[in-house]
């Protein structure tokens, strides 16, 4: 099969190219889901070459990938997905046949106070990657048995908000309602357009709320865990009855691998935990787990006493619920970790990794790579 990429004449690179079964660009691999995904690939697919491109925004943390060293199977590149020259150079150098695109601004509350970076990273960044993939002819790089794939990782939030009944299917009309979900919806449309117009082998996944190790403590579960551990108020927006469909992060990562290996170009796959919970149920579960493991709060009260109902998020989507029939029936994927087990594992992980959380809360995790990259 002819290759269009222009490798440098570096002998080691040529060797790597022949040896590695897939050559994968992962964007945002230092974030929550990206880091879990890179770790999964590293442990399971030792013959794949993974290049992790991450800007190391506030949400990116090199410590999430401690223990994975650079070599023929792994390379870290600090950079911005909006940087056209860098991206084109990487496609030329690395001869990718696979892209798994996680990099994004991901927190809804931040999109409400500062939507500009969401438009830039999520829309312009995705466009830059799609253009580079198209112009590099990356689909021609694939070896037999490893079909080329540009996998765009998206969210269930593009579908909008549900009432008390019903589920999001892959045919549900898009109805994004926050700057975050609008920017993700735009990027999904671009990705789909590149399949239809240019034949780029795009696949899209739309997943529900993830939880698990390495989640940045601005999101509900790690934030509540950390506050409950430190006897601080637990902010619950509105009446606490908004519903999310929670999925353990490794189940999401495994679903992505299934889509890479068995999915079809031009298709979207919903991924969900079939695990709807009201926010207040999630918060009380964390309180109870910590009471059981550590005893009552400093006040001598159960940690539920720290719950504080605060004003609602603007435009707060009421309910998300995924119908994951398609990925189950077509690709054989199902979540393996139920919520009780996943929360137990998550709480244990945060308890065992307190220095990781403390570094983030006091800002020193940024110094770690600021020194390394002279930021
Ligand atoms: P995250 O915020 O934890 O990580 C985002 C990563 O992207 C960080 O490492 C950050 O440094 C990097 N990044 C941000 N802007 C960048 C840029 N311009 N160039 C290069 N790198 C950049 O996010 P996450 O929760 O891991 O989510 C990853 C992806 O999965 C996102 O696309 C998100 O929309 C999607 N998703 C998340 C969830 C969830 O529950 N967290 C659910 C469904 C889909
Ligand atoms: O559904 C998938 C989405 O899930 C992803 O696309 C997003 O990237 C991810 O951040 C997540 O979005 P949510 O807004 O659902 O997650 P978050 O953890 O911010 O909030 C979960 C719910 O908890 C939501 O209803 C808001 C509520 N909440 C959140 C925070 C941070 C609170 O009640 N209090 C809080 O302090």
């Amino acid at each position: 099969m002819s290759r269009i990429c222009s490798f440098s004449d570096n002998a080691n690179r040529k060797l790597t190219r022949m040896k590695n079964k897939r050559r994968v660009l992962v964007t945002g691999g230092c974030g929550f889901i990206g880091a879990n995904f890179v770790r999964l690939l590293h442990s399971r697919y030792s013959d794949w070459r993974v290049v992790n491109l991450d800007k190391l925004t506030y949400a990116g943390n090199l410590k999430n990938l401690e223990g994975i060293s650079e070599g023929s199977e792994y390379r870290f590149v600090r950079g911005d997905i909006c940087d056209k020259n860098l991206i084109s150079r990487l496609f030329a150098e690395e001869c990718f046949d696979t892209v798994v695109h996680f990099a994004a601004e991901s927190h809804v509350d931040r999109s409400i106070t500062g939507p500009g970076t969401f438009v830039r990273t999520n829309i312009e960044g995705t466009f830059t990657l799609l253009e580079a993939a198209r112009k590099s002819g990356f689909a021609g790089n694939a070896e037999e048995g490893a079909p080329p794939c540009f996998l765009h990782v998206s969210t269930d939030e593009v579908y909008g908000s549900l009432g008390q009944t019903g589920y999001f299917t892959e045919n549900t009309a898009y109805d994004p309602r926050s700057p975050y979900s609008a920017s993700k919806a735009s990027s999904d449309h671009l990705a789909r357009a590149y399949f239809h117009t240019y034949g780029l082998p795009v696949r899209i996944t739309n997943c529900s709320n993830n939880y698990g190790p390495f989640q940045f403590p601005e999101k509900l579960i790690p934030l509540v865990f950390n506050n409950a551990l430190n006897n601080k108020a637990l902010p619950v927006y509105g009446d606490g009855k908004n519903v999310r469909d929670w999925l353990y992060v490794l189940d999401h990562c495994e679903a992505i691998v299934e889509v890479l290996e068995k999915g079809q170009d031009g298709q979207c796959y919903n991924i969900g935990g079939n695990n709807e919970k009201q926010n207040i149920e999630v918060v009380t579960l964390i309180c109870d787990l910590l009471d059981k493991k550590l005893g009552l709060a400093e006040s001598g009260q159960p940690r539920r006493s720290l719950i504080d109902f605060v004003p609602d998020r603007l435009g707060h989507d009421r309910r998300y619920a995924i119908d994951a029939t398609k990925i189950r029936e077509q690709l054989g994927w199902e979540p393996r970790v139920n919520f009780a087990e996943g929360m137990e594992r998550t709480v244990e992980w945060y308890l065992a990794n307190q220095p990781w959380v403390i570094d983030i809360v006091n800002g020193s995790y940024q110094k770690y790579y600021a020194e390394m990259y002279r930021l």
Side-chain angles (χ1 to χ4, degrees), residues 135-208:
K135 289 188 172 152
S136 74
F138 98 122
N141 294 335
E143 304 284 0
E144 224 161 282
C149 178
F150 186 116
L151 197 156
H152 174 61
V153 179
S154 191
T155 170
D156 59 356
E157 298 200 14
V158 297
Y159 298 123
S161 181
L162 291 165
Q164 288 191 342
T165 57
Y167 294 90
F168 297 136
T169 73
E170 288 79 0
N171 296 321
T172 302
Y174 274 32
D175 182 22
R177 295 148 53 100
S178 72
Y180 163 69
S181 53
S183 66
K184 290 296 291 187
S186 308
S187 64
D188 293 12
H189 289 319
L190 279 171
R192 204 170 283 120
Y194 271 65
F195 167 74
H196 286 290
T197 308
Y198 305 113
L200 201 73
V202 167
R203 299 171 196 178
I204 300 175
T205 55
N206 295 91
C207 188
S208 64

Side-chain angles (χ1 to χ4, degrees), residues 31-33 54-55 57 60 80-81 102 106 154 180 184 208 210:
F32 163 48
I33 307 173
D54 196 300
K55 186 179 175 182
T57 66
D80 191 328
I81 54 167
F102 293 97
S106 70
S154 191
Y180 163 69
K184 290 296 291 187
S208 64
N210 285 213

Side-chain angles (χ1 to χ4, degrees), residues 72-226:
S72 63
E73 279 82 36
Y74 179 71
R75 175 183 174 195
F76 172 67
V77 178
R78 180 175 176 269
D80 191 328
I81 54 167
C82 300
D83 182 342
K84 189 175 148 194
N85 293 335
L86 169 68
I87 308 293
S88 311
R89 201 180 73 227
L90 276 181
F91 271 86
E93 276 177 11
E94 291 284 351
C95 226
F96 299 120
D97 51 40
T98 307
V99 178
V100 184
H101 173 34
F102 293 97
E105 288 294 336
S106 70
H107 193 42
V108 174
D109 291 328
R110 287 180 189 254
S111 84
I112 295 167
T113 52
T117 49
F118 286 72
V119 170
R120 182 177 178 278
T121 290
N122 299 359
I123 306 177
E124 198 186 319
T126 302
F127 166 69
T128 306
L129 287 166
L130 289 164
E131 269 294 271
R134 173 174 86 86
K135 289 188 172 152
S136 74
F138 98 122
N141 294 335
E143 304 284 0
E144 224 161 282
C149 178
F150 186 116
L151 197 156
H152 174 61
V153 179
S154 191
T155 170
D156 59 356
E157 298 200 14
V158 297
Y159 298 123
S161 181
L162 291 165
Q164 288 191 342
T165 57
Y167 294 90
F168 297 136
T169 73
E170 288 79 0
N171 296 321
T172 302
Y174 274 32
D175 182 22
R177 295 148 53 100
S178 72
Y180 163 69
S181 53
S183 66
K184 290 296 291 187
S186 308
S187 64
D188 293 12
H189 289 319
L190 279 171
R192 204 170 283 120
Y194 271 65
F195 167 74
H196 286 290
T197 308
Y198 305 113
L200 201 73
V202 167
R203 299 171 196 178
I204 300 175
T205 55
N206 295 91
C207 188
S208 64
N209 285 62
N210 285 213
Y211 68 100
F214 301 110
Q215 188 165 30
F216 196 86
E218 64 185 350
K219 306 276 162 63
L220 180 71
I221 288 179
L223 181 139
V224 164
F225 167 82
N226 196 43

